[in-house]
Amino acid sequence: MASSVSSAALVFSVRQCDPELVRPAKPTPREVKQLSDIDDQEGLRFHVPVIMFYPSNPLIKGKEDPVKVIREALGKALVYYYPFAGRLIEGENRKLMVDCTGEGVLFIEADADTTLDNLGDAIQPMCPALRSFCMMFLAPGRFLVPHLS
């Protein structure tokens, strides 16, 4: 999926790859964990989309695919933080729990023909280009890692 983003004088294209699930790199416990009463408040039941930008590292440029490195590191991290690879379920009296299924997290690679420097010093929610990224790619449960040229 290719899209164009513009912000005043900034115009660039973005290519999104197919979404994929990244699973823990090793087997994890299969269990159900109740959320604490603090985490299970009705007013906190909403999704916070996450978008992460990673600049190129000149020391590894051309040696390793940065998306592969991030994907593998995420899989390794999910071994220790395995509830993130599970699914929220609702139990008796609407009590939220995490079913630690090991299904994985949604991961979407994207390429943009711009650089982080072009987006400015402070990429914050008011940045029109960031808003466009979020509108194009983020749906509930998605984890997006764009890499910029």
Side-chain angles (χ1 to χ4, degrees), residues 64-119:
E64 289 189 68
D65 175 15
V67 174
K68 180 180 177 192
V69 170
I70 293 167
R71 186 185 300 112
E72 288 176 3
L74 179 58
K76 289 176 183 176
L78 288 172
V79 171
Y80 300 99
Y81 299 97
Y82 63 90
F84 285 106
R87 299 295 178 262
L88 277 178
I89 58 174
E90 197 172 77
E92 193 174 319
N93 296 322
R94 295 186 38 101
K95 180 70 177 168
L96 282 183
M97 300 175 282
V98 178
D99 186 4
C100 300
T101 61
E103 290 178 57
V105 297
L106 193 59
F107 182 91
I108 304 170
E109 174 188 354
D111 288 303
D113 62 353
T114 190
T115 64
L116 285 174
D117 291 337
N118 290 340
L119 297 177

Side-chain angles (χ1 to χ4, degrees), residues 1 14 16 108 110 132-139 142 144:
M1 165 191 234
V14 178
Q16 174 185 341
I108 304 170
S132 297
F133 263 124
C134 290
M135 297 301 288
M136 285 187 296
F137 298 116
L138 294 180
R142 285 188 167 187
L144 171 71

Side-chain angles (χ1 to χ4, degrees), residues 9-26:
L10 180 63
V11 176
F12 59 93
S13 296
V14 178
R15 181 189 57 82
Q16 174 185 341
C17 296
D18 290 333
E20 63 180 282
L21 286 176
V22 174
R23 297 176 182 270
K26 295 179 183 175

